Amino acid sequence: MSNSEASNQHPNLILTSQSVSEIKLHLGNIPVFDETLAVVKEEVDLAIEEGIDVPIPKDMAGGYTHTQHKANYSNMQRAGVLFQLLGDEKYAIYVRDMLLEYAEMYPTLGRHPQERSYSRGKFFWQCLNDSNWLVYTSQAYDCIYDWLPAEQTDYLNKTLFRPYADFLSIETPKFFNRVHNHSTWGNVAVGMIGLVIDDEELLERALYGLKEDNIDPTEMDNDGGIIKDKDGRAGFLANLDSPFSPDGFYTEGPYYQRYAMYPFMIFAEALENKKPELKIFEYKDGVLLKAVDALLNLTDADGEFFPLNDGQKGMSYYTASLVSAVDIAYYYGGEKPELLSVAKSQNKVQLDASGLAVAIGLKEGKEEPFVKKSMELTDGTKGDEGAVGILRYNKEEEGITLVMKYTGQGLSHGHYDKLSFSLYENGEEVLQDYGLSRFVNVEQKNGGGYLKENKTFAKHTIAHNTVIQNETSHFDYDFVTGSKNHSERYVFDVSNPDVQIMGAKEHNAYPGTSFHRTMVMVNDTTFAKPFIIDVFRVDSDKANQYDLPYYYFGQIVSTSFKTPAPKSLMPLGAKNGYQHLWKESESKANADQIQFTWRNNYVFYSITSATQTDDDVVLARIGANDPEFNLRRDPVLILRKEATQSTVFASIIEPHGIYDVVSETAENAYSNFQSIKVISNDDRYTALELKMVSGGTKLLILSNANAKKEAKHTLKIGDNNYQWTGAYYLK
């Protein structure tokens, strides 16, 4: 590795002497950069006026000491940047004085007094947040390193930074030496400070992990995740290798991918500046740059991430970590103009060379639209552990997005929801994935940490739009079993924009039972909007009860089935998440199809489903056995088949019509479909008849065994022979 004189001059981590000089030449003439700098200056100046506060740690997330230490590392990082770009020593003095207070306090601290985490920190209740502190503070330290006298850097290195790096790694191997987003922060924290103080040992430790950790291979963390990687991998490069698929999908899901992208990208930028020989942006075929693109595509029309696995709704690419990721990806990824349009909507930049490049690109009007297309993102290190499929239809201001999850477990943040899906219209959830059960950084709610209902409801299968057998979650809610299995990709074809199809199989969620779900988005010019055909095949070696929930938003408009209301509410079940659902109504279908229409945000939607007369239709609502009101009171429609061995759930999901509140008129408030019927089903083919109110019919035939585009198929139904090539026939 290079030991040139230039590499030892500070700053050389995120800012460099060269980039500082270049930025100074452009200041005052690069609007978005100048505006970002002005906001940062105003906020840091206010923090300096308020004075330095380094409290003795005692609180959980959201508490005073926790929040103050977070503010401290953010303010230090930004003050360091201001010192370099503006040359005002008050910013360096602020960073120095705060670091000296931390150095005085650090040797007096044991582990944090809150004992909830398996990896308790020093300044914070968990080492994850301590790593946040060190990642940001390393950047501040780099910015003032050459300004400080040597005796002060020696003191800080020996008293604070080197001991802190050892604490996060050697003293807490269960946190540091694993494949997980928490550990990525830990690896990067140790690596960043190693780069600042030119400590090759720390850098090697960060990149490759501890050589010895003595971690029990069966030990689990607070979320029920296994700590020790099954192949013994650890370190930053292992966290690049394992959780990311070749498409850039991060197995924990987009919410945690967003969280991890900052340390991934900021450390990569530091390595590119100081250790360019590592060629980190080329690692694993450029997976970091692919990851930014994948993450931007895992968002709805408003830029909010799909809440797959543990994910808080509302988190979007406007978060600071994605500002950094987009800027760095633009600068080191060939300056793709479509990233500029994302940066323009973010309306802020990172205050370094990457942010400068973005600001110049925007000033010169180089941006092009970032068009989110239908795509499949594989899961698993080699891309062979299932995938997430996204079907999109966009026309002018309107858009429909369908997301289907057929991935691996997703580490400790994974949910038990094989073949689940969610549906969006214009950024609004139509059929939802619940996401996580947590009030992040809200101290009143379990100190801002995960709520117990995350394990008793949100992770369970019944909380998702997929089939549950015998009121038992997939893999019997066993993490080890779930982690050994993944769904199988079957078909993904979006070559015809008017008929987009995706499907997958799951053979291991329940012993002796196989699932095969196919979802088709059809754009028919006779309808105002596309509709979805949802076909869920179940094959089992014995009779079971099967439930298929559809979690909708809004108010019921009409049903084709009776909706008797009980005098008192009872939970739908006793465990596996069922104990958190109030049963509001239950009745028999008493027909070979049911129809359910509701309205949300003044738009009408209908689900038309094929049924048997003795099928049950349940209306339920989240909230039972939840005395602290930790769960949202969202409604759900559940289709239930009892004492059934093998079956097909077939439904049409249809957006239609709108209600004008001002004129008080409803337009196209009725479904366009009369029925959907399963007319043939076996291991080779499933055929469905869709009958429209207008009198027309459509026939959909799915190939269940061979989805290859070149495969030729023939099926006789009644007196008719149907021939086609590819995975489906629709006419």
Side-chain angles (χ1 to χ4, degrees), residues 407-410 416 418 474-487 508:
T407 63
Q409 180 64 26
Y416 298 83
K418 299 305 176 191
H474 294 171
F475 309 113
D476 200 19
Y477 198 72
D478 181 72
F479 178 79
V480 174
T481 303
S483 297
K484 292 178 181 177
N485 298 289
H486 59 82
S487 301
N508 301 297

Side-chain angles (χ1 to χ4, degrees), residues 404-405 415-421 459-477 487 504 506-510 513-519 534-540 542 544-551 576 578 636-642 644-651:
M404 183 175 167
K405 179 172 177 269
H415 287 194
Y416 298 83
D417 60 344
K418 299 305 176 191
L419 311 190
S420 65
F421 83 98
K459 285 192 172 190
H460 279 281
T461 312
I462 188 57
H464 304 84
N465 303 316
T466 188
V467 168
I468 305 96
Q469 178 175 298
N470 298 329
E471 300 186 18
T472 302
S473 290
H474 294 171
F475 309 113
D476 200 19
Y477 198 72
S487 301
E506 174 57 53
H507 301 300
N508 301 297
Y510 301 103
T513 299
S514 291
F515 293 157
H516 183 183
R517 190 172 212 165
T518 306
M519 305 198 81
D534 177 21
V535 185
F536 202 124
R537 298 182 67 248
V538 181
D539 288 306
S540 186
K542 65 183 181 193
N544 301 288
Q545 173 187 298
Y546 304 113
D547 291 340
L548 175 56
Y550 289 104
Y551 282 88
N576 295 318
Y578 280 79
V636 59
L637 165 72
I638 301 174
L639 306 179
R640 171 170 287 179
K641 297 178 182 290
E642 296 181 333
T644 301
Q645 184 167 342
S646 297
T647 191
V648 179
F649 289 91
S651 300

Side-chain angles (χ1 to χ4, degrees), residues 186-257:
N187 302 151
V188 170
V190 171
M192 292 279 274
I193 196 61
L195 288 174
V196 175
I197 67 177
D198 289 311
D199 190 317
E200 292 291 330
E201 181 185 353
L202 290 183
L203 181 59
E204 291 294 308
R205 190 185 301 172
L207 291 173
Y208 304 105
L210 300 169
K211 294 180 180 178
E212 299 290 336
D213 56 30
N214 298 315
I215 299 173
D216 184 339
T218 65
E219 191 161 357
M220 294 187 174
D221 65 13
N222 303 101
D223 296 318
I226 295 174
I227 293 173
K228 184 82 170 180
D229 180 77
K230 64 181 185 301
D231 297 319
R233 294 168 294 188
F236 180 75
L237 296 181
N239 274 287
L240 266 180
D241 282 327
S242 186
F244 285 105
S245 78
D247 293 330
F249 177 76
Y250 189 69
T251 193
E252 291 184 79
Y255 180 75
Y256 277 96
Q257 181 168 351

Side-chain angles (χ1 to χ4, degrees), residues 160 167 293 325 327 442 466 481 513 587 613:
L160 176 61
F167 167 74
D293 186 71
D327 291 357
V442 178
T466 188
T481 303
T513 299
S587 63
T613 57

Side-chain angles (χ1 to χ4, degrees), residues 82 97 144 176 187 195 206 211 266 311 337 375 405 420 456 479 554 565 630 685 718:
L82 291 173
D97 290 351
I144 69 165
F176 188 81
N187 302 151
L195 288 174
K211 294 180 180 178
I266 207 72
M375 63 172 54
K405 179 172 177 269
S420 65
T456 60
F479 178 79
N630 290 332
Y685 303 107

Side-chain angles (χ1 to χ4, degrees), residues 495-507:
S495 57
N496 179 357
D498 292 330
V499 184
Q500 303 182 69
I501 183 172
M502 59 184 169
K505 297 183 178 183
E506 174 57 53
H507 301 300

Side-chain angles (χ1 to χ4, degrees), residues 92-111:
I93 293 168
Y94 176 73
V95 175
R96 178 200 64 194
D97 290 351
M98 192 178 294
L99 287 180
L100 289 174
E101 289 208 26
Y102 272 107
E104 182 180 357
M105 182 177 71
Y106 183 83
T108 70
L109 298 177
R111 289 194 182 264

